[in-house]
Amino acid sequence: MWAFLHRFASPPHFYRRAGAIAPWLGWICLGLMAAGLYGGLVVAPPDYQQGESYRIIFVHVPSAWMSMFVYVVMAGASAIALIWRIKLAEVIAIESAPVGASFTFLALVTGSLWGKPMWGTYWVWDARLTSELILLFLYFGVMGLYAAIEDRRTAGRAAGLFAIVGVVNIPIIHYSVEWWHTLHQGPTVTKLSAPSIHVSMLVPLLLMAVSFKLFYVTVLLHRARCGVLERGRNAGWVRSLLARTEPE
Amino acid sequence: MTMTESLVDFFRMGGYAFYVWWSYVVVTVVLALNFVLPMLRHRRVRRDLAQELRFADRCDEP
Amino acid sequence: MNAFIAIVRRDLLLAMRHRAEAANPLLFFVIVVALVPLGLNPRRETLELIAPGVFWIGALLATLLSLERMFRSDFDDGSLELMLISPQPLPLIVLAKILAHWLVTGLPLVLAAPPIALLLGLPTSSLAVLLTTLVLGTPTLSAVGAIGVALTVGLRRGGMLLSLLVLPLYIPVLIFAASAVSAADGLPVTGQLYLLGALAVLSFTLAPLAAAAALRISVS
């Protein structure tokens, strides 16, 4: 297992393997997404309380899940990179940040588009919305720090350390925001409680969640391939790779 | 109910068309960008590296 | 331990030599707090409602402005590198720097709080709670800020980035402290104060370790 991991983490091996796997994952992701969209937009019946507007759930909830999942992956990869100095983990951590930020952004936008018909306003200082916004700031912090430091190795390690600091803080921030929210909660906002979700809605939701996860992995593999190439610009394997595919 | 009627009904989303379709549009655009940009970047990186390599080779030759 | 005391003393001495510079955050704080009633309306009820938040946001920004000083001059003159290679444990040194920073910026805020509270029309009954939140909260700001400064110390223009890194991490302190002050008029506030204390203990244990690791990364 350990030997396998080490072999997989070697840049040339990863570059080849990722290039082979990514298209497959991409197609599976597309298929699942199509099935999920069909199930969610066409098959699932309208909600008896929210009518058709609840259909935003099929993109909103997977985005929100992914926004947190990606952050945890990023922090985990950063920890691995800092402790065992595995370059690939560093690349994965850094290349995850923009994807995670995209998911967080989507969760916020779809959340407020859902909030307008349900709550009557695009934005409420709801605990979950607020902590999602702060999560976006943390993503921007990681990306900004990485972009600001010139040396790529130093930048990767500094951004990784900040990601870990963030992951320690996320629960604290989340609970403080929740607590603050219960103190300030006005009576105007009526949160519609969703009891048990019906199977016809649950299945497309899960399909979408899985396809979002696969989407993340696919994009991450693509991005990590670029990152590995960029960092290994002077390595022998990059030279031979490019020499082999040279058109002339 | 004819085919077109049910299609129109589908796109109306029970009066929530604006919210539902805009959120799907935003999601599609952002995910597409996330997919396309690394592709372009990959091509650019390979082109740049190849150019660098050619340049280095030319410098090596006397 | 000697090194710890030596570093605290050195930093205090340096701050004393540059008194004008050390006083800047406090002046900034006073000006921000004085601007808010001018921008809003100075009616008593409005002020009373927003005073705790204004007070704490001012304290946050003032601390943020002064954070860079924690490692910047040491980085510029090379003494930071000596600290990195010294046989003393780096987290201990960082802890000393945090303590010195708090003594120079946090403590003046605490001392200046009563007159500023009067300026904002905070009821005198909540003054004790305000002071307690400041005593418990500002050390956390210095400690968490140390991580951010340590990460950005090698950058020439780290100021904006520093605020992006540090301000989200300050949110819990802001929430608990401001709500304790606004609740001080008759509602129980021990919960918030305990949480502030817990945050202070947590940040003083973990932040020196994280900041030391960050220094090792960014100064290399």
Side-chain angles (χ1 to χ4, degrees):
Chain A
M1 179 71 187
W2 199 236
F4 166 78
L5 272 182
H6 259 285
R7 211 156 54 87
F8 190 75
S10 89
H13 193 259
F14 171 79
Y15 185 82
R16 236 175 312 119
R17 273 296 164 85
I21 299 171
W24 287 99
L25 288 180
W27 285 114
I28 298 172
C29 163
L30 203 64
L32 287 177
M33 203 176 276
L37 284 177
Y38 180 74
L41 290 174
V42 183
V43 178
D47 186 73
Y48 76 103
Q49 264 184 323
Q50 308 193 8
E52 305 277 2
S53 74
Y54 90 96
R55 294 189 194 279
I56 297 175
I57 201 177
F58 298 115
V59 283
H60 173 69
V61 169
S63 305
W65 282 344
M66 288 311 291
S67 69
M68 285 175 269
F69 176 78
V70 175
Y71 200 96
V72 173
V73 169
M74 185 171 74
S78 305
I80 292 172
L82 285 177
I83 296 169
W84 288 291
R85 314 220 160 193
I86 297 176
K87 259 190 214 162
L88 182 63
E90 209 177 287
V91 174
I92 283 178
I94 285 309
E95 301 294 346
S96 288
V99 192
S102 307
F103 281 125
T104 316
F105 173 75
L106 286 182
L108 282 170
V109 171
T110 54
S112 62
L113 278 170
W114 196 5
K116 179 67 181 167
M118 289 302 105
W119 300 331
T121 161
Y122 282 108
W123 183 266
V124 290
W125 287 95
D126 166 78
R128 273 185 288 181
L129 280 174
T130 313
S131 29
E132 198 75 4
L133 184 66
I134 295 162
L135 188 66
L136 188 63
F137 292 154
L138 290 176
Y139 273 120
F140 285 157
V142 172
M143 289 157 67
L145 190 57
Y146 182 71
I149 301 177
E150 239 161 75
D151 180 62
R152 296 292 81 183
R153 285 309 301 271
T154 314
R157 302 181 59 202
L161 186 73
F162 181 71
I164 296 169
V165 171
V167 95
V168 172
N169 271 279
I170 282 174
I172 301 176
I173 294 174
H174 181 81
Y175 283 109
S176 64
V177 169
E178 199 151 277
W179 188 75
W180 159 82
H181 171 70
T182 49
L183 272 184
H184 289 258
Q185 176 69 295
T188 45
V189 177
T190 51
K191 200 83 165 291
L192 298 169
S193 60
S196 55
I197 184 166
H198 192 257
V199 175
S200 60
M201 302 172 184
L202 184 65
V203 170
L205 183 62
L206 290 180
L207 280 175
M208 288 304 280
V210 174
S211 81
F212 268 44
K213 203 154 279 183
L214 282 177
F215 179 83
Y216 163 60
V217 177
T218 314
V219 170
L220 180 65
L221 287 179
H222 277 301
R223 299 189 65 103
R225 286 184 91 204
C226 300
V228 161
L229 266 192
E230 278 172 353
R231 278 157 184 252
R233 55 174 64 236
N234 293 319
W237 68 271
V238 175
R239 288 168 168 275
S240 56
L241 177 88
L242 290 170
R244 228 178 326 120
T245 51
E246 199 75 12
E248 302 131 304
Chain B
M1 191 130 106
T2 64
M3 185 74 187
T4 36
E5 255 174 44
S6 66
L7 253 182
V8 166
D9 236 30
F10 173 68
F11 283 114
R12 280 194 65 246
M13 273 291 154
Y16 292 116
F18 176 82
Y19 306 107
V20 173
W21 293 122
W22 265 114
S23 44
Y24 277 85
V25 165
V26 174
V27 169
T28 314
V29 168
V30 170
L31 291 192
L33 279 179
N34 261 296
F35 189 75
V36 172
L37 289 181
M39 293 285 203
L40 295 177
R41 181 176 153 213
H42 188 229
R43 203 180 298 170
R44 200 183 58 234
V45 168
R46 284 193 74 140
R47 203 190 50 220
D48 288 357
L49 285 180
Q51 208 166 9
E52 235 171 69
L53 199 66
R54 263 204 305 275
F55 187 68
D57 285 349
R58 211 168 302 155
C59 287
D60 285 343
E61 286 165 19
Chain C
M1 208 57 217
N2 279 335
F4 182 84
I5 294 167
I7 286 181
V8 174
R9 274 193 53 190
R10 168 181 169 275
D11 276 16
L12 290 183
L13 202 63
L14 281 175
M16 283 301 285
R17 296 269 162 79
H18 304 274
R19 243 163 296 179
E21 198 189 327
N24 275 343
L26 186 62
L27 288 176
F28 172 83
F29 174 62
V30 175
I31 290 172
V32 167
V33 169
L35 282 183
V36 171
L38 300 176
L40 294 160
N41 74 42
R43 257 189 315 168
R44 195 155 186 83
E45 313 85 74
T46 329
L47 273 185
E48 233 169 84
L49 198 65
I50 60 167
V54 170
F55 201 100
W56 263 96
I57 289 173
L60 240 62
L61 294 178
T63 314
L64 187 70
L65 274 188
S66 66
L67 275 178
E68 275 231 303
R69 224 181 31 212
M70 205 186 295
F71 297 121
R72 165 63 63 182
S73 58
D74 289 346
F75 177 75
D76 286 341
D77 66 15
S79 40
L80 192 59
E81 277 176 53
L82 288 182
M83 290 176 197
L84 286 183
I85 56 172
S86 83
Q88 306 293 334
L90 188 57
L92 191 70
I93 296 177
V94 172
L95 190 62
K97 307 271 320 173
I98 293 171
L99 184 64
H101 178 262
W102 181 76
L103 288 174
V104 174
T105 59
L107 197 57
L109 287 188
V110 178
L111 297 178
I116 295 170
L118 289 181
L119 212 62
L120 282 173
L122 267 179
T124 36
S125 52
S126 47
L127 190 61
V129 175
L130 176 69
L131 288 178
T132 320
T133 59
L134 279 171
V135 170
L136 290 174
T138 44
T140 313
L141 301 186
S142 296
V144 172
I147 306 173
V149 199
L151 284 170
T152 53
V153 72
L155 301 172
R156 230 162 293 130
R157 302 226 164 273
M160 285 309 287
L161 185 62
L162 181 64
S163 51
L164 179 64
L165 297 182
V166 165
L167 283 180
L169 306 181
Y170 279 176
I171 290 168
V173 175
L174 175 67
I175 288 175
F176 292 132
S179 84
V181 178
S182 20
D185 241 6
L187 293 169
V189 292
T190 36
Q192 287 97 312
L193 295 182
Y194 281 144
L195 282 166
L196 278 176
L199 287 178
V201 171
L202 194 69
S203 63
F204 261 73
T205 358
L206 293 182
L209 296 173
L215 281 178
R216 289 218 188 277
I217 290 172
S218 54
V219 183
S220 54

